[in-house]
Amino acid sequence: MKNIYFLIVLLVCLSSGYCYEHETNFPETNGRVTAFVRQGDYIYLGGDFTVIGGESINRLARVNVNTNTVDNTWSPNVNDDIFDLFSDGTNIYFFGNFTSVGGTTRNRAAKVAISDASLDATFNPNLNNTVLGTDFDGTYFYIGGNFTTVGGTSRSNLAKISTDGSLQAGNPAPNNIVRAVEVSGSDLYIGGQFTSVDGQGRLRLAKINATSMALDGTFNPGANNIVSALVIHDGDLYVGGDQTEVDGQAKTYLARVDASDGSLDNSFESTVSGGMVRAMDVYNSKLAIVGDFTSIDGQVRSYNALVDFIDGSVDTDFIFNGDARNRAVYTDGSNLYIGGEMLTLNGTSSDFVARITNSTPPEAYAPLISQTNTTSASFTSEIFSNNESTTVTFEYGTVTGDYSATTTNQTISGGSTTTTVSFNNTGLDDNEQYFVRARAENSTSFSYSTETSFWTLTDEPETHTNSFAQVGEANTSISFSFQSLNTITADGYVLLRSTANIENPVDGSGYSVDDNLGSTVVVGKITDANTTEFVLNNQQFQKSYTFKLVPFNVGDDPATTNYFITDAPTINAYTIPTLGEWGMMAFVGLMAIGGVFFVRKRIV
């Protein structure tokens, strides 16, 4: 019978629309999962299970990340715990407490082919006890645990081997178990239960040269209890474990030290409570931690959390509380995998393993408002769908942050560029301020734009003033008369002047004197309804202009101003010359007359 799979996700989203998803159809196991690695379309899981997704597969399996289905043809058949997994693109390397793979002896380290899970015949480091922590720099594996020999050669709790399984030189010999290993360039950091390395005192935390395997003589912060997890990020070393002190100062379960000199950084204040940190990884620019803890910074975080790299504060978006401690955490970029002893996550079944994804919400940009009228306005927003079909709505109301009304949904197809979405909204109240934002939602998450505000217009004036005329002029002033505004429905008018075609005012704009509308200037603004005359001063002498008188109504805000533009009265008016110009004009005229007489005299 063909299996049918349904993608089911439980979302944890805040009002920002930022979402994490627990994929509840990820295959469960019947025993703890303690290691992960991603290669291609598969996530590889290691642990102490014998069944995964209903398939009988012992301790090492792979799941297709696109379908969440177990590949039941890929089964190396491992007989005991796996604690670490790595891939070189062709093979899967694994380390732990097992002693056979596919019925062939392999003590705590083995390699199988990605293509068919076949055991590599030559890779056989052969450790005499458990491997608990490993890291890989692409050339060498750095192996920590509680072993004393590798391939029959003495190596106490720490060793370096190549990808062919050959043991490398160097034996720093920590005097007790190594549980955490982190390599960064030429530096190798180890944590665990040891109190000395290479015969020198090192309390559970040390740095070693990755090339020579020699102990670093200056790095010595020290921890007062087990260190079980290490992560390097931006030049800092993050230390997780069961410690309550680091570098002699109180730091419970999680701390940050300088990766160079080991000095404690007290600006990283993450208050972890309830139990130790067992594993860490970098996810979504945050530090992902799992373990025995139950709260961080006073907020409930049972066994799983994200904390900020800068100050250690708990991520308030990420809330996935389990019912038992977890031992492994791994990220492949967009997905976070958690393994351990849990059976539920946020109350939903998730036996021993979970996958959490960080969906990328679509992006909505602040709406632009146009075509505003007394009861309508057009909303326009740019939407980036992030390559997924997206539903867009505009939410609005008359109080900032309170969006009591919503426009009809519009759906845009997925794409890699922004799409313009517009909606002409009617049924608004006149003379009212509105606040609007755009909402963009895809199948798993959503986001809001920032808020934009606008005013609807107040009522338009019902008629124009009559008898608009020039009734006087001087060399720098013009006198106008017009019908009193108390006889029409308007709050006032603007007087516009131009030497060319007069441009009209724009509704919603509360103009002031000297404002420009292209080649047109606002030269007067009258708000007294009883006014019947107006003198315009400070004009150029001997100049002819075109004037327009436009009535307006304004409500509670200048943005509500509504102009009655159609057929607004227009006249031509002028200033007269100055006295000096009159004298010159008279002189020129007399000279002209005298010239005529003189000509006539000569003719006679």
Side-chain angles (χ1 to χ4, degrees):
M1 179 178 177
K2 184 178 291 186
N3 292 324
I4 300 175
Y5 294 89
F6 298 91
L7 178 62
I8 304 172
V9 296
L10 294 181
L11 304 183
V12 176
C13 309
L14 293 195
S15 59
S16 64
Y18 199 70
C19 293
Y20 295 100
E21 308 157 16
H22 171 208
E23 294 193 2
T24 59
N25 69 332
F26 191 82
E28 297 177 323
T29 67
N30 68 338
R32 64 177 176 259
V33 175
T34 48
F36 304 93
V37 71
R38 170 78 180 268
Q39 182 61 51
D41 289 335
Y42 290 97
I43 183 74
Y44 294 79
L45 298 83
D48 193 30
F49 55 86
T50 57
V51 175
I52 178 169
E55 302 287 350
S56 295
I57 300 178
N58 294 324
R59 300 176 181 86
L60 180 57
R62 71 181 186 181
V63 175
N64 187 295
V65 296
N66 301 308
T67 62
N68 281 347
T69 56
V70 178
D71 182 354
N72 59 14
T73 68
W74 199 90
S75 179
N77 190 22
V78 184
N79 76 328
D80 208 339
D81 285 273
I82 293 172
F83 295 129
D84 270 310
L85 290 171
F86 299 91
S87 171
D88 65 2
T90 304
N91 304 286
I92 298 297
Y93 299 82
F94 51 101
F95 305 86
N97 196 40
F98 55 88
T99 56
S100 75
V101 178
T104 301
T105 298
R106 282 295 182 274
N107 292 318
R108 290 100 189 173
K111 176 169 74 171
V112 296
I114 286 175
S115 60
D116 59 6
S118 60
L119 179 66
D120 186 279
T122 61
F123 184 88
N124 188 14
N126 189 24
L127 295 99
N128 73 331
N129 212 333
T130 308
V131 175
L132 293 168
T134 306
D135 204 2
F136 182 44
D137 66 3
T139 303
Y140 298 104
F141 292 99
Y142 300 87
I143 303 170
N146 64 345
F147 50 86
T148 57
T149 64
V150 179
T153 301
S154 177
R155 286 292 187 273
S156 296
N157 307 310
L158 183 65
K160 174 182 176 181
I161 65 173
S162 67
T163 54
D164 64 7
S166 59
L167 180 65
Q168 304 300 299
N171 185 19
N175 70 339
N176 207 333
I177 297 171
V178 173
R179 292 184 173 273
V181 179
E182 178 83 353
V183 63
S184 175
S186 62
D187 294 322
L188 175 65
Y189 300 87
I190 61 173
Q193 295 166 237
F194 53 86
T195 56
S196 73
V197 178
D198 202 16
Q200 300 185 46
R202 289 294 185 273
L203 297 178
R204 304 168 188 88
L205 191 57
K207 180 167 73 170
I208 294 168
N209 184 286
T211 302
S212 66
M213 297 297 285
L215 178 68
D216 184 294
T218 61
F219 183 92
N220 188 17
N224 72 334
N225 210 335
I226 298 171
V227 172
S228 54
L230 298 172
V231 164
I232 284 283
H233 181 74
D234 284 348
D236 292 312
L237 179 68
Y238 293 80
V239 181
D242 201 26
Q243 77 278 358
T244 57
E245 289 183 6
V246 175
D247 200 20
Q249 301 181 55
K251 285 293 176 183
T252 303
Y253 308 131
L254 184 61
R256 179 171 71 194
V257 300
D258 186 280
S260 178
D261 62 17
S263 58
L264 181 67
D265 187 346
N266 279 308
S267 66
F268 183 80
E269 291 285 348
S270 188
T271 308
V272 183
S273 303
M276 68 185 294
V277 172
R278 291 183 177 270
M280 304 189 296
D281 204 351
V282 179
Y283 178 59
N284 192 31
S285 299
K286 298 292 179 73
L287 181 65
I289 63 174
V290 300
D292 300 11
F293 55 86
T294 55
S295 72
I296 299 179
D297 296 343
Q299 300 185 46
V300 175
R301 291 294 187 276
S302 297
Y303 317 113
N304 317 293
L306 295 183
V307 298
D308 187 84
F309 271 118
I310 297 175
D311 60 11
S313 59
V314 67
D315 189 316
T316 56
D317 288 359
F318 186 94
I319 307 173
F320 290 96
N321 294 314
D323 63 336
R325 66 185 178 187
N326 286 317
R327 296 174 176 269
V329 62
Y330 171 83
T331 177
D332 63 7
S334 60
N335 302 301
L336 185 71
Y337 297 89
I338 296 172
E341 298 167 19
M342 65 184 169
L343 297 177
T344 65
L345 199 62
N346 283 354
T348 301
S349 179
S350 193
D351 290 355
F352 305 104
V353 65
R355 181 166 82 170
I356 296 169
T357 63
N358 169 21
S359 66
T360 304
E363 298 178 46
Y365 296 90
L368 299 176
I369 310 301
S370 62
Q371 301 178 29
T372 307
N373 214 310
T374 54
T375 59
S376 65
S378 181
F379 306 157
T380 300
S381 180
E382 296 293 318
I383 306 295
F384 181 57
S385 65
N386 273 322
N387 298 298
E388 186 174 346
S389 178
T390 299
T391 300
V392 182
T393 55
F394 294 95
E395 301 178 350
Y396 61 96
T398 57
V399 178
T400 182
D402 182 11
Y403 310 101
S404 57
T406 304
T407 64
T408 305
N409 292 345
Q410 297 184 65
T411 301
I412 61 174
S413 58
S416 57
T417 59
T418 57
T419 301
T420 302
V421 177
S422 297
F423 185 85
N424 187 32
N425 197 25
T426 59
L428 305 177
D429 293 331
D430 68 281
N431 188 35
E432 184 67 74
Q433 186 176 22
Y434 284 91
F435 301 87
V436 59
R437 66 181 180 182
R439 186 181 193 273
E441 180 177 5
N442 61 24
S443 61
T444 58
S445 56
F446 62 90
S447 68
Y448 291 113
S449 73
T450 54
E451 181 182 82
T452 298
S453 68
F454 70 97
W455 285 83
T456 53
L457 303 181
T458 190
D459 290 334
E460 187 181 66
E462 294 180 359
T463 186
H464 294 292
T465 183
N466 293 323
S467 305
F468 177 45
Q470 179 179 2
V471 293
E473 64 279 331
N475 49 37
T476 60
S477 64
I478 305 173
S479 299
F480 300 94
S481 68
F482 43 85
Q483 178 180 312
S484 173
L485 286 177
N486 62 7
T487 64
I488 63 172
T489 305
D491 293 331
Y493 61 79
V494 289
L495 180 63
L496 308 177
R497 184 200 71 192
S498 179
T499 57
N501 292 328
I502 289 190
E503 299 182 38
N504 288 314
V506 178
D507 288 335
S509 301
Y511 294 103
S512 299
V513 173
D514 295 329
D515 284 350
N516 292 305
L517 288 74
S519 62
T520 300
V521 181
V522 177
V523 292
K525 187 170 183 179
I526 305 301
T527 57
D528 183 355
N530 294 312
T531 300
T532 59
E533 293 184 348
F534 181 72
V535 178
L536 181 61
N537 294 309
N538 301 316
Q539 303 302 293
Q540 293 185 35
F541 55 83
Q542 197 180 355
K543 191 77 172 180
S544 178
Y545 300 98
T546 301
F547 292 91
K548 180 184 283 189
L549 195 65
V550 181
F552 67 84
N553 278 332
V554 63
D556 297 329
D557 188 270
T560 67
T561 306
N562 200 344
Y563 297 93
F564 187 14
I565 298 168
T566 306
D567 298 327
T570 302
I571 62 171
N572 291 320
Y574 56 88
T575 54
I576 62 176
T578 63
L579 181 61
E581 286 185 306
W582 276 119
M584 180 60 69
M585 291 171 64
F587 174 75
V588 171
L590 289 172
M591 287 295 294
I593 295 171
V596 170
F597 289 156
F598 176 76
V599 169
R600 286 179 177 174
K601 186 175 180 181
R602 290 183 64 186
I603 291 173
V604 172

